[in-house]
Amino acid sequence: MAARSARFSTTRLLYSLYAPSIGASPHTSRAALAGNLHLRYFSAGSAAAARLREEKEVWWKESLQKLRNIGISAHIDSGKTTLTERVLYYTGRIHEIHEVRGKDGVGAKMDSMDLEREKGITIQSAATYCTWKDYQVNIIDTPGHVDFTIEVERALRVLDGAVLVLCSVGGVQSQSITVDRQMRRYEVPRVAFINKLDRMGADPWKVLNQARAKLRHHSAAVQMPIGLEDDFKGLIDLVNMKANYFHGSSGEKIVTEDIPANLNELALEKRHELVELVSEVDDQLAEAFLSDEPVSAAELEGAIRRATIARKFVPVFMGSAFKNKGVQPLLDGVLSYLPCPIEVTNQALDQSKNEEKVTLTGSPSGPLVALAFKLEEGRFGQLTYLRIYEGVIKKGDFIVNVNTGKKVKVPRLVRMHSNEMEDIQQAHAGQIVAVFGVDCASGDTFTDGSVRYTMTSMSVPEPVMSLAISAVSKDSGGNFSKALNRFQREDPTFRVGLDAESGQTIISGMGELHLDIYVERMRREYKVEATVGKPRVNFRETITQRAEFDYLHKKQSGGQGQYGRVIGYMEPLPPGSGTKFEFENNLVGQAIPPNFVPAIEKGFKEAVNSGSLIGHPVENIRIVLTDGAAHTVDSSELAFKMASIYAFRQCYTTAKPVIMEPVMLVELKFPSEFQGTVTGDINKRKGLIVGNDQEGDDCVLTAHVPLNNMFGYSTSLRSMTQGKGEFTMEYLEHSQVSQDVQAQLVNTHKATKSGE
């Protein structure tokens, strides 16, 4: 009774407080009143939650708008690493500048490997971050050498924008074209930077025209130089129409003045050209341009940003990184014109819905989606670079590798500065971080387990060159295999295989320099001296006509002897048959007891593993057993096995054997001007040209070339085409060699056997 009255009084109290606001009468039922009140209370709570969500969203949107993920890529020796060194200096990340091949022996910050400092080239992509005008910029400095293409591919896969560095003397070179093609493939917006304006023969306008013609860039200069070569003093900003001079020992003081009178007319002409070209791809600016209204700096900047992010325009900056001129305006340009993570659309594949494409929001409030794009073996175990596309990752979290289904804990989360680390507690969408102790392969996707998304896989080029490698001393075998395993995990273009016939370890990669660097790294990092040789090509042997055999194997040596006789014939298999070896038992009666037939087949199978011409396996052969003889006491499995091996050897030469060599399907792509030279070289290598197409300015050739004649081809193709040619090759078939090649191979084989 007391409980009931308490409930009643509670209802009365609620009614007196809230009834007027919800329009209830004293006769309203308790349930209806409670329902109404719950609804009102819940909506108030949900409004507060929505407000909190909005505030949170505003916070992450603001933080992502102040973030840039950029890569710096270009042809060899265009000055990428030098430019990154200046960027780090001006943003306060390093306090003194060191050159790539500097006399002080320190070397550039981003070339952290000894080998890189020695050779003065970048081998691995290095990641760092810096702050410029309240913006956080993640930078990846990439190699320019064609042999390290995969490093560039990996970097571009995870970046939102890129800086394409061009040399003002060399102009658009072969690797600039390759890098630009990769940027197009991954739809990366870019700005161009014409470097080395202080060098003899510098001509930025020639380079700009080359970019328009060779790279088909819709581009215009946003700056112009004040003087060139030794007279290079500063730059004119064509957007704001001001002259910038760089003073101080390292060009850190920027002095802004009016444009020199002698350059005013040229500057106005170049600005008009810039406005005209941008208005062709931006409707808002086109209206102002067509109505002859003056275009303000803010309007022009907004139009350039829109056109650059839409990948319809490439703004061109200028300067000299080595002479510390023009780097700060380039940094401003990165902030002004390149996109932040939420302005780029990233798509994932939903594995639970048959790889359906899903567009990621890029917000930290979504489920975690991160891509492992690079692996490194550090002092503390495997270091995995992650680009976070959505969600938040925290130290100590459990994350799921979608590719393998394994659940792993994040023991340590760091931000990288070349080869130095900075520990952090958490990271959100849009950032590039590294984790320790997570076992995975390059290209794996991690989530928090709530979704099964994978990021589209990176395009990995097939290796084009192979070498045989072996450790000099037997004691270093453990380190030798450890090094090969590590290099394979780090670099998808580096492959290791074992040649079953020659027993050699074969390493394959993107070119001679690529493999040389790995052999050198093995020596330095693992203290393993390795010898490198030309790998043995996998030839095959086959027969061309039918041959009879009749062989008696008889051995008496006291005690039980050996006795076995096999009669039959061998013949080539018809072309197109699926098997490479067939054995047929056509015995009639009990001339050979049935329990010895498997031993005979085994003997023939062993015999075809090594032909008598050059010791390579024999293929496309059928062996038919028609008759034989056995002894009641001396016949055994071993006797019949030996009889079949000797029978094969006896009649093999009468079946007119020939050597088959692997023929590769080679596809070449090179500028049309080199067509005569390349075609002549393919003919010299006994290649057969089967296709010839034209793709823009490039010629695409398809040819069948024997693998034995393809060694060192990557180097000779580059020298024939000034580094502009590229090729891929894959196995096609084994085909018969010519008589002269067969005689040469047989003589070489005999010489090596007699030498042994």
Side-chain angles (χ1 to χ4, degrees), residues 193-418:
F193 179 68
I194 299 175
N195 195 13
K196 305 192 178 185
L197 289 186
D198 59 307
R199 272 186 61 186
M200 285 286 289
D203 186 351
W205 307 115
K206 174 198 79 178
V207 180
L208 181 58
N209 288 329
Q210 277 184 355
R212 287 170 182 164
K214 289 187 180 178
L215 304 176
R216 294 187 171 80
H217 277 183
H218 188 77
S219 57
V222 290
Q223 294 174 326
M224 62 173 270
I226 303 170
L228 281 172
E229 298 175 10
D230 292 343
D231 299 331
F232 178 47
K233 295 185 181 71
L235 294 159
I236 294 170
D237 180 348
L238 297 175
V239 177
N240 298 303
M241 290 302 277
K242 289 283 177 198
N244 293 326
Y245 297 94
F246 304 89
H247 295 311
S249 59
S250 304
E252 64 275 13
K253 289 192 194 113
I254 302 175
V255 179
T256 305
E257 292 177 9
D258 288 333
I259 296 169
N262 61 333
L263 291 171
N264 213 356
E265 200 177 312
L266 182 63
L268 285 167
E269 186 190 311
K270 292 290 178 192
R271 189 178 198 266
H272 182 77
E273 185 187 312
L274 170 67
V275 173
E276 189 178 343
L277 279 161
V278 178
S279 63
E280 284 176 21
V281 288
D282 186 77
D283 296 341
Q284 287 181 35
L285 191 70
E287 281 177 28
F289 178 70
L290 292 170
S291 56
D292 277 343
E293 290 171 17
V295 177
S296 71
E299 281 176 324
L300 182 53
E301 197 169 295
I304 295 172
R305 181 176 178 80
R306 286 190 297 273
T308 306
I309 292 172
R311 301 190 315 282
K312 292 176 181 173
F313 180 74
V314 179
V316 178
F317 290 82
M318 299 179 186
S320 164
F322 185 62
K323 288 285 197 290
N324 311 315
K325 290 185 172 81
V327 179
Q328 298 97 320
L330 174 67
L331 274 170
D332 292 340
V334 164
L335 307 185
S336 305
Y337 305 135
L338 289 181
C340 67
I342 44 178
E343 287 173 308
V344 179
T345 51
N346 288 304
Q347 289 189 322
L349 302 175
D350 193 342
Q351 296 302 316
S352 53
K353 290 185 184 168
N354 199 14
E355 295 215 340
E356 191 182 297
K357 282 195 173 177
V358 184
T359 303
L360 299 175
T361 58
S363 86
S365 53
L368 172 72
V369 179
L371 176 76
F373 67 96
K374 181 171 158 51
L375 309 178
E376 255 178 42
E377 199 73 31
R379 289 192 302 267
F380 313 106
Q382 184 176 294
L383 182 68
T384 308
Y385 284 81
L386 291 178
R387 158 73 202 258
I388 306 165
Y389 287 97
E390 195 168 288
V392 173
I393 188 169
K394 292 182 184 148
K395 184 180 170 180
D397 272 2
F398 280 96
I399 55 174
V400 176
N401 183 338
V402 180
N403 300 54
T404 61
K406 283 183 187 166
K407 195 173 188 179
V408 287
K409 190 179 181 181
V410 181
R412 190 176 168 200
L413 197 61
V414 293
R415 241 189 335 200
M416 295 305 294
H417 177 41
S418 188

Side-chain angles (χ1 to χ4, degrees), residues 307-577:
T308 306
I309 292 172
R311 301 190 315 282
K312 292 176 181 173
F313 180 74
V314 179
V316 178
F317 290 82
M318 299 179 186
S320 164
F322 185 62
K323 288 285 197 290
N324 311 315
K325 290 185 172 81
V327 179
Q328 298 97 320
L330 174 67
L331 274 170
D332 292 340
V334 164
L335 307 185
S336 305
Y337 305 135
L338 289 181
C340 67
I342 44 178
E343 287 173 308
V344 179
T345 51
N346 288 304
Q347 289 189 322
L349 302 175
D350 193 342
Q351 296 302 316
S352 53
K353 290 185 184 168
N354 199 14
E355 295 215 340
E356 191 182 297
K357 282 195 173 177
V358 184
T359 303
L360 299 175
T361 58
S363 86
S365 53
L368 172 72
V369 179
L371 176 76
F373 67 96
K374 181 171 158 51
L375 309 178
E376 255 178 42
E377 199 73 31
R379 289 192 302 267
F380 313 106
Q382 184 176 294
L383 182 68
T384 308
Y385 284 81
L386 291 178
R387 158 73 202 258
I388 306 165
Y389 287 97
E390 195 168 288
V392 173
I393 188 169
K394 292 182 184 148
K395 184 180 170 180
D397 272 2
F398 280 96
I399 55 174
V400 176
N401 183 338
V402 180
N403 300 54
T404 61
K406 283 183 187 166
K407 195 173 188 179
V408 287
K409 190 179 181 181
V410 181
R412 190 176 168 200
L413 197 61
V414 293
R415 241 189 335 200
M416 295 305 294
H417 177 41
S418 188
N419 61 340
E420 293 163 20
M421 293 157 221
E422 183 183 321
D423 278 279
I424 51 174
Q425 292 304 308
Q426 68 168 50
H428 59 74
Q431 291 187 319
I432 291 174
V433 291
V435 290
F436 269 110
V438 173
D439 189 40
C440 67
S442 182
D444 284 359
T445 308
F446 289 96
T447 66
D448 55 10
S450 60
V451 288
R452 289 197 63 229
Y453 292 168
T454 57
M455 300 307 295
T456 44
S457 187
M458 296 177 293
S459 141
V460 177
E462 282 300 307
V464 294
M465 185 169 181
S466 307
L467 291 173
I469 186 170
S470 59
V472 173
S473 77
K474 292 210 164 55
D475 308 338
S476 53
N479 273 355
F480 178 69
S481 54
K482 206 188 283 180
L484 291 179
N485 283 337
R486 173 188 158 186
F487 296 154
Q488 272 190 102
R489 289 173 75 90
E490 274 183 24
D491 184 351
T493 56
F494 180 75
R495 314 271 170 91
V496 179
L498 190 71
D499 187 338
E501 290 155 23
S502 64
Q504 292 172 311
T505 302
I506 308 288
I507 55 170
S508 313
M510 298 309 297
E512 278 155 286
L513 177 70
H514 188 208
L515 296 175
D516 284 352
I517 291 287
Y518 277 117
V519 173
E520 184 68 13
R521 278 183 67 189
M522 197 181 285
R523 190 172 68 77
R524 287 174 184 232
E525 294 170 33
Y526 287 91
K527 308 284 183 282
V528 175
E529 291 287 346
T531 51
V532 178
K534 179 179 167 183
R536 182 170 138 174
V537 174
N538 301 334
F539 291 105
R540 295 283 180 269
E541 295 182 27
T542 191
I543 56 172
T544 54
Q545 65 181 37
R546 178 174 157 150
E548 311 278 338
F549 60 83
D550 177 353
Y551 187 82
L552 169 66
H553 176 66
K554 192 164 128 188
K555 204 170 186 184
Q556 297 294 143
S557 56
Q560 188 186 352
Q562 290 181 13
Y563 184 95
R565 185 180 181 190
V566 286
I567 302 168
Y569 62 88
M570 63 167 81
E571 63 182 2
L573 281 169
S577 58

Side-chain angles (χ1 to χ4, degrees), residues 73-77 80 122 142-148 152 175 179:
S73 25
H75 187 81
I76 312 142
D77 280 351
K80 295 180 298 299
T122 305
T142 57
H145 232 283
V146 69
D147 290 18
F148 309 107
V152 186
Q175 192 66 6
V179 169

